[in-house]
């Protein structure tokens, strides 16, 4: 090689290495071939109410009375099935009020793609509208724990779940929806 071509080739190779590194960081192509399965149980535990070492409810004052447990049954508030947007997505989403008053979003039988920086959101938009974007005041519930299985996301205290229309699996890095589920109130 002549001296002129070495001066051209070496910087060009360095640029290509940098561009390839950035591409790998942004696209994380290996995630097309991997899966992360999560299988969390729905939180249900509650404990007897105790104040200053004394039980406050139930059979505490009666002879032979044992601890009174508050209800451990969660209450379904809304639910819906995922539809596919940019990546094949299926499963169900449901919002649940726990016995202690806390609220969670439960993703069940979720199946979607892994990707870089994928998150779970509550949106005021319907699932079809979320394909174009999350909309104003969407609530982030956290990074997607896994692309397969059953998982729970704590809803921030004070969030009025009745105002949200959908759950969206959203890729922050590329601003695309993998899929979304319309939330319909559960009767009963």
């Amino acid at each position: 090689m002549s001296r002129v071509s070495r001066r051209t080739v070496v910087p060009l190779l360095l640029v290509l290495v940098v561009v390839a590194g950035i591409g790998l960081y942004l696209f994380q192509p290996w995630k097309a071939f991997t899966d992360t399965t999560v299988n969390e149980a729905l939180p249900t535990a509650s404990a007897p109410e105790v104040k200053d070492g004394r039980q406050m409810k139930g059979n505490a004052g009666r002879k032979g009375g044992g601890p009174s447990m508050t209800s451990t049954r969660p209450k379904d508030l809304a639910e819906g099935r995922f539809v596919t947007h940019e990546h094949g997505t299926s499963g169900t989403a449901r919002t649940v009020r726990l016995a202690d008053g806390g609220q969670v979003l439960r993703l069940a039988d979720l199946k979607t793609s892994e990707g870089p920086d994928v998150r779970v959101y509550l949106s005021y938009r319907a699932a079809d509208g979320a394909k174009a974007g999350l909309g104003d005041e969407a609530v982030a519930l956290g990074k997607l724990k896994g692309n397969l299985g059953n998982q729970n996301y704590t809803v921030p205290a004070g969030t009025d779940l009745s105002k949200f229309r959908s759950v969206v699996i959203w890729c922050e890095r590329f601003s695309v929806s993998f899929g979304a589920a319309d939330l319909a109130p559960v009767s009963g």
Side-chain angles (χ1 to χ4, degrees):
M1 275 190 176
S2 72
R3 208 175 230 332
V4 174
S5 62
R6 280 188 198 159
R7 288 182 192 169
T8 306
V9 171
V10 171
L12 181 60
L13 285 175
L14 288 174
V15 168
L16 287 174
V17 168
V18 169
V19 167
I22 292 170
L24 286 172
Y25 171 76
L26 288 176
F27 291 99
Q28 299 177 2
W30 57 88
K31 288 196 173 186
F33 306 104
T34 62
D35 288 317
T36 301
T37 302
V38 174
N39 197 15
E40 296 178 327
L42 181 65
T44 58
S46 64
E49 285 192 41
V50 175
K51 183 176 181 183
D52 300 326
R54 297 178 302 166
Q55 186 172 340
M56 299 305 293
K57 286 186 174 179
N59 300 327
R62 293 188 224 152
K63 285 188 175 183
S68 171
M69 298 297 286
T70 56
S71 173
T72 59
R73 279 184 78 178
K75 180 181 182 205
D76 289 346
L77 303 174
E79 66 184 357
R81 297 200 62 76
F82 278 99
V83 295
T84 295
H85 287 166
E86 295 297 324
H87 292 268
T89 301
S90 63
T92 59
R94 72 184 223 241
T95 55
V96 179
R97 180 175 331 287
L98 301 175
D100 66 2
Q103 300 176 118
V104 297
L105 169 69
R106 171 94 171 148
L107 304 183
D109 301 319
L110 179 67
K111 185 174 183 180
T112 191
S113 299
E114 282 204 296
D117 204 16
V118 180
R119 299 183 180 265
V120 179
Y121 281 89
L122 293 170
S123 176
Y124 289 106
R125 290 185 173 178
D128 286 342
K131 188 171 185 176
L134 291 168
D136 293 335
E137 299 182 39
V139 173
L141 300 181
K143 287 190 112 181
L144 187 67
K145 296 174 183 178
N147 64 311
L148 302 173
N150 306 301
Q151 48 205 277
N152 306 305
Y153 295 86
T154 301
V155 176
T159 303
D160 183 356
L161 287 172
S162 68
K163 296 185 179 197
F164 291 95
R165 295 186 60 198
S166 67
V167 173
V168 184
I169 307 297
W170 184 261
C171 178
E172 288 285 326
R173 177 126 341 126
F174 297 105
S175 296
V176 297
S177 171
F178 280 23
D182 281 320
L183 292 172
V186 173
S187 58

